[in-house]
Amino acid sequence: MTQLKQLSQAAALCALMAAGAAHAGEVEVLHWWTSGGEAKAATALKATLQKQGHTWKDFAVAGGGGDSAMTVLKSRVVSGNAPAAAQIKGPSLQEWAAEGVLTNVDAVAKAGKWDEVIPPVVANIMKYKGHYIAAPVNVHRVNWLWVNPEALKKAGTKLPTTWDEFFVTAEALKKAGIIPVAHGGQNWQDFTVFESVALGVGGVDFYKKALVQLDPATLTGPQMEKVLTTFKRIKDYTDKNAPGRDWNLATAMVIKGEAGMQLMGDWAKGEFIAAGKTPGKDFICAAAPGTQKSFTFNIDSFALFKLKNAANEKAQQDLATAIMSPEFQELFNLNKGSIPVRTGMKMDKFDDCAKQSAADFAADAKTGTLVPSIAHGMAVPAAAEGAMKDVVSQFWNSDKMTAKDAQTRLAAAAKSK
């Protein structure tokens, strides 16, 4: 009798395992999180899925701005072999959805009450024709200035809050033998600096007209000339090895005290944290000069592609559920340097930079001073964004192009379809 009971238990266990295996699927995820803090964040998502019995197939394509990843994704989709999920954001989500290759996740969104916990400014980006086609992971603030306080102390200077003060600080750092500005000469990094200058010099209304609405009169007007002139002045305070440098290597220069400042989004904070540094003590996070009352946002999200395998579809739905869970939102954003996209999250485990970011995001959402980052694919169609990035980098690297020339080219680039 005991033997029969053992056999029957073994058979039941096998049936359970088989049922589990039948429901377990593979989720292939395309992303470009390959640096220290980002890689930890990606690992957190992988662990969450594996706990549910699914197989994670990592499809990481290096390159901070994601341009390389998008090239690879296009070839995969065209060949009918799309991954389950891909890191896509902003207007590009709508472009992919219009191609008919994305699946909607309304059932997951309804079960998770996404409309109640995601701010409307974010939810609208995640939807196509009223249906959720992507899961948002986080909110990054782009208009940050990262500073090594020890470098300021050595140079006998202070944290700048305006662009005039920025150049005074940069000059003091230069005289002290410290590289004033850590920078990586890649077009998305050039434009990250450029849009912070545009917001700080021109203000929110100017930024919206020039870099969201792409208004020709604003792009060619006197305010834009001032923005470009200010932007170009920064180059004199970068080092000769900047061209081609990855953003995280520029951040490392600030961490080590080789450089004093970096203008970069809050993914840079993940690098400081990964290096064991404490905000407020080992490094300072401050709004880019002149942008204290505004917030340039960059939202990472995963678009979900149509699949043919039912088990993989289940894994894909579980991925979307996991991404929006409070537990994952906390774990992921603690590693990534960003803040949760879910509202009403407890921020007690987060550092002072994140708490400031969350408070500013909520305040700016109410005052209408949240603006999408054009450098990070949140503001305009990809063709216009790419063409404008090229112009800004050409201006940055040219000794002959005038601000007026750059304005004319920017206005032309903005019309790219």
Side-chain angles (χ1 to χ4, degrees), residues 13 49 64 96 100 189 200 215 259 281 406:
L13 183 62
L49 262 287
W96 280 104
Q189 292 191 62
D215 175 57
K281 179 182 163 224

Side-chain angles (χ1 to χ4, degrees), residues 40-75:
K40 273 190 177 180
T43 302
L45 185 55
K46 176 181 178 180
T48 304
L49 262 287
Q50 286 176 331
K51 277 180 193 169
Q52 296 182 48
H54 300 305
T55 304
W56 172 283
K57 189 174 179 184
D58 204 53
F59 187 5
V61 181
D67 293 340
S68 304
M70 288 303 97
T71 303
V72 174
L73 178 62
K74 279 170 190 166
S75 65

Side-chain angles (χ1 to χ4, degrees), residues 280-335:
K281 179 182 163 224
D282 303 311
F283 68 97
I284 298 166
C285 52
T291 71
Q292 291 82 354
K293 299 285 186 188
S294 47
F295 190 116
T296 321
F297 65 83
N298 172 25
I299 296 161
D300 285 314
S301 54
F302 280 102
L304 303 158
F305 284 81
K306 287 179 179 173
L307 301 173
K308 294 165 188 168
N309 178 299
N312 290 353
E313 281 180 350
K314 174 69 170 71
Q316 183 187 55
Q317 301 282 315
D318 287 346
L319 173 72
T321 302
I323 284 170
M324 277 297 294
S325 71
E327 299 78 18
F328 174 73
Q329 286 276 317
E330 179 178 271
L331 178 63
F332 179 89
N333 287 293
L334 282 169
N335 278 312

Side-chain angles (χ1 to χ4, degrees), residues 80-165:
N81 184 29
Q87 191 181 349
I88 302 173
K89 54 194 184 178
S92 290
L93 285 170
Q94 317 304 316
E95 291 171 16
W96 280 104
E99 294 293 324
V101 293
L102 300 184
T103 188
N104 91 50
V105 279
D106 286 344
V108 171
K110 191 175 180 184
K113 298 180 178 176
W114 289 12
D115 278 339
E116 292 175 31
V117 296
I118 301 176
V121 69
V122 178
N124 291 341
I125 296 168
M126 301 301 130
K127 292 177 180 178
Y128 177 69
K129 294 186 176 176
H131 300 287
Y132 277 100
I133 41 89
V137 183
N138 58 357
V139 177
H140 275 297
R141 187 180 198 169
V142 181
N143 57 315
W144 280 115
L145 176 69
W146 304 94
V147 182
N148 184 311
E150 199 57 39
L152 293 185
K153 196 174 167 186
K154 278 182 189 171
T157 189
K158 62 173 188 173
L159 178 73
T161 58
T162 66
W163 284 107
D164 286 341
E165 289 177 5

Side-chain angles (χ1 to χ4, degrees), residues 31 33-44 271 335-336:
H31 63 90
W33 292 329
T34 53
S35 72
E38 293 179 322
K40 273 190 177 180
T43 302
E271 299 301 300
N335 278 312
K336 186 76 162 62

Side-chain angles (χ1 to χ4, degrees), residues 345-414:
M345 290 274 297
K346 284 185 180 175
M347 296 296 289
D348 44 344
K349 286 187 187 174
F350 287 82
D351 58 60
D352 291 347
C353 298
K355 285 173 182 168
Q356 183 64 50
S357 188
D360 288 350
F361 183 71
D364 289 312
K366 287 176 184 171
T367 57
T369 47
L370 284 178
V371 292
S373 166
I374 181 170
H376 296 277
M378 299 305 300
V380 301
E385 179 197 322
M388 291 173 78
K389 277 180 178 170
D390 288 345
V391 172
V392 165
S393 288
Q394 284 160 13
F395 175 64
W396 176 265
N397 293 308
S398 170
D399 294 328
K400 293 175 183 175
M401 194 189 299
T402 66
K404 285 278 191 193
D405 291 338
Q407 286 181 266
T408 305
R409 294 188 191 189
L410 266 180

